[in-house]
Amino acid sequence: MTEYDLEGIGITDDRAELFNVASSPPEQAGEQRLFTRMSPPGWLLAFWQEIDDKSWGAGFDCLAEDAVCNLGVADWHGREAIRANLRAFVDTGFTAHHDVLEYWDSPRLKIFRGQVRMTPDAAGQPVVTPTMTHFFYMDDADPTKVSRWYGAVGPVAFG
């Protein structure tokens, strides 16, 4: 049973769902991975392009059908739920443009950072460009698909 320390409160797996705490993919203590810094692959750029263009199409096929996404406080399960929730978020009144600035590749884990320029639809609202960092764990059955996505964007403002 995994223990989580939430503000000093011991929360166990059986109660973690109450707090939207998801356990990590199974990893071995002391596991090492070799990463290669390289240009971002086409499938990753196509994924972000779907969001930037608000087209929500085939770029999402890089996600396994049962993929899980923990983006900030989000806990979305399934490719279609991820697509629908991202669409609902972006459609709240801004256009995004994602730039991947650094990409590190290994067979089972892809790590990258970049920026996302968020341009509000409403005139007079400031454009913000927060940092984004993402971990994509690839699927055991089909290593061309993302099975687990951990990501963080922001903050988008201070004060």
Side-chain angles (χ1 to χ4, degrees), residues 5-24:
D5 184 16
L6 298 176
E7 307 276 335
I9 303 170
I11 302 296
T12 57
D13 275 343
D14 60 333
R15 292 188 26 221
E17 190 170 317
L18 297 172
F19 296 90
N20 286 328
V21 174
S23 58
S24 298

Side-chain angles (χ1 to χ4, degrees), residues 126 128-131 153-159:
V128 295
T129 308
T131 298
V153 177
V156 296
F158 284 108

Side-chain angles (χ1 to χ4, degrees), residues 60-113:
F60 280 79
D61 291 348
C62 69
L63 302 173
E65 190 174 316
D66 61 348
V68 175
C69 172
N70 296 111
L71 180 60
V73 298
D75 185 27
W76 302 326
H77 295 255
R79 179 192 310 140
E80 295 312 313
I82 295 167
R83 184 190 329 247
N85 282 291
L86 282 171
R87 182 178 201 162
F89 173 67
V90 172
D91 284 349
T92 61
F94 71 93
T95 298
H97 177 80
H98 294 82
D99 287 312
V100 177
L101 303 175
E102 183 176 1
Y103 176 82
W104 290 86
D105 192 283
S106 76
R108 293 263 304 122
L109 175 60
K110 317 309 182 185
I111 299 174
F112 51 97
R113 70 170 186 87

